[in-house]
Amino acid sequence: RSRLVSYFWVLSTLLWALASYVRSNGTFSSIWWMLIGIGQCCSYIYTAISAKRDDKVCIRAMTVKCATILCCHGILALAVAAPVFYHDKRGYRFHCMETNSSVFNKPEWCTQAEDSTKFSLYAHVQRKHWNVGLLRYYELKQIPNFILAMPVLLLSFGAAAWWIITSWNRHMNIGCDGADCKNSITLKNVFWWAFQALSSSSDSVNNIPSVSNSSQLLLGPSCLPYYAILAGFALVGTFVAHVQISTRLICSSCPALYWFVTILITSAQKNGKDNENHARSTRTTHLIW
């Protein structure tokens, strides 16, 4: 079983790299690798904390293990994003190298690429010719496009928030009852929740529990990477990219969006059987979708 799972990870990396080669937004899949790697490290640390093992041998072994995991997952994440870097280097060689100077006039961005190691040809084209950038699309004439993208963006942010709330209740309210469950949102509690969420996402990635409630499965710990990528796409669509692409960008890349809509519809049906607001809530859910 473990060998088969490892083959799936290799195949996934190849497919994600191909997706990045076709469209740059495929690089978002590298987030999956980073979250899984960080989650595994958090899982090892959490196990050591639970076992109260603080000896130097354990700490040294845990440090080596975490460093190895982060290095391997970082390499896999870079492999997913590599096609975008290849595109930039290939464009620079074609337009700016001396071998082509006699045939083509060097474009003005060649100077920028030579002066900065962080220059990105893709970002330059997007910024200059498509006006893509942080808050660059916030213009009065773009209000219709924001209205067009509002339903899918609201659903996306709602899905991410719902998962966070569910995860918070799952990890921060364990073993408490009544008033004791009212954990305040402090910086310490937020860091502790994030640590536990990452740890449990790694523990359950290959061990999906059998549950009767679909909401528990679709909002489970192993779904963290899906909702994180969904939130990332929603943020990019809202603040950086052309907002009207959010619909096709999210609907074609984020299964968590469909899971959230499923939860909305099924919960409205289950909770509203004997409620006069059942029909209204179901219609509202369908209308937003």
Side-chain angles (χ1 to χ4, degrees):
R1 176 185 172 86
S2 60
R3 182 178 298 179
L4 182 61
V5 171
S6 64
Y7 290 156
F8 284 154
W9 288 133
V10 173
L11 180 61
S12 299
T13 303
L14 293 175
L15 293 176
W16 287 336
L18 289 175
S20 299
Y21 192 82
V22 176
R23 294 298 296 266
S24 64
N25 51 278
T27 56
F28 266 77
S29 298
S30 61
I31 296 175
W32 177 284
W33 276 123
M34 297 307 301
L35 287 176
I36 293 298
I38 296 173
Q40 288 183 2
C41 287
C42 291
S43 178
Y44 283 115
I45 296 172
Y46 185 77
T47 302
I49 293 175
S50 301
K52 297 182 179 180
R53 299 179 59 184
D54 55 356
D55 55 282
K56 293 183 178 180
V57 176
C58 177
I59 294 175
R60 188 181 301 112
M62 187 171 55
T63 302
V64 173
K65 187 73 173 180
C66 287
T68 304
I69 290 173
L70 290 177
C71 182
C72 293
H73 284 76
I75 292 174
L76 292 171
L78 287 175
V80 174
V84 176
F85 298 112
Y86 170 75
H87 171 270
D88 285 342
K89 296 298 182 183
R90 182 172 178 270
Y92 175 78
R93 287 198 304 268
F94 182 81
H95 292 284
C96 304
M97 297 296 286
E98 293 296 333
T99 54
N100 293 317
S101 60
S102 59
V103 181
F104 302 105
N105 293 324
K106 287 186 179 181
E108 58 181 12
W109 56 263
C110 286
T111 304
Q112 301 178 32
E114 293 171 355
D115 295 339
S116 176
T117 57
K118 297 181 179 180
F119 178 81
S120 171
L121 174 58
Y122 180 83
H124 171 78
V125 172
Q126 290 279 308
R127 182 171 57 253
K128 181 176 181 179
H129 299 287
W130 293 92
N131 195 33
V132 171
L134 183 62
L135 302 181
R136 286 195 169 203
Y137 217 57
Y138 278 64
E139 301 173 328
L140 290 177
K141 64 180 181 179
Q142 303 299 344
I143 290 178
N145 287 323
F146 278 90
I147 296 175
L148 177 68
M150 188 177 297
V152 72
L153 290 176
L154 288 177
L155 284 171
S156 300
F157 286 122
W162 201 316
W163 188 91
I164 291 173
I165 293 172
T166 302
S167 178
W168 179 276
N169 293 331
R170 180 188 301 117
H171 295 294
M172 302 304 292
N173 293 338
I174 295 178
C176 62
D177 186 23
D180 295 335
C181 289
K182 296 180 180 179
N183 291 297
S184 58
I185 303 178
T186 62
L187 187 60
K188 179 181 178 180
N189 285 342
V190 169
F191 275 111
W192 180 241
W193 161 77
F195 175 79
Q196 291 190 90
L198 286 165
S199 176
S200 60
S201 70
S202 173
D203 292 339
S204 58
V205 69
N206 294 322
N207 185 24
I208 300 176
S210 177
V211 296
S212 57
N213 189 346
S214 60
S215 297
Q216 296 178 12
L217 180 62
L218 298 179
L219 293 171
S222 60
C223 295
L224 168 60
Y226 296 99
Y227 286 95
I229 292 175
L230 174 61
F233 274 127
L235 289 172
V236 170
T238 303
F239 297 108
V240 180
H242 291 184
V243 70
Q244 68 269 24
I245 73 168
S246 299
T247 301
R248 63 178 174 83
L249 182 69
I250 294 174
C251 290
S252 64
S253 308
C254 303
L257 177 70
Y258 300 97
W259 299 342
F260 179 61
V261 174
T262 300
I263 294 170
L264 290 179
I265 296 175
T266 56
S267 62
Q269 293 172 348
K270 290 179 181 179
N271 298 330
K273 288 182 179 179
D274 301 322
N275 193 319
E276 61 182 4
N277 294 325
H278 163 55
R280 183 184 306 170
S281 61
T282 303
R283 285 196 300 269
T284 302
T285 301
H286 282 79
L287 178 62
I288 292 175
W289 175 236

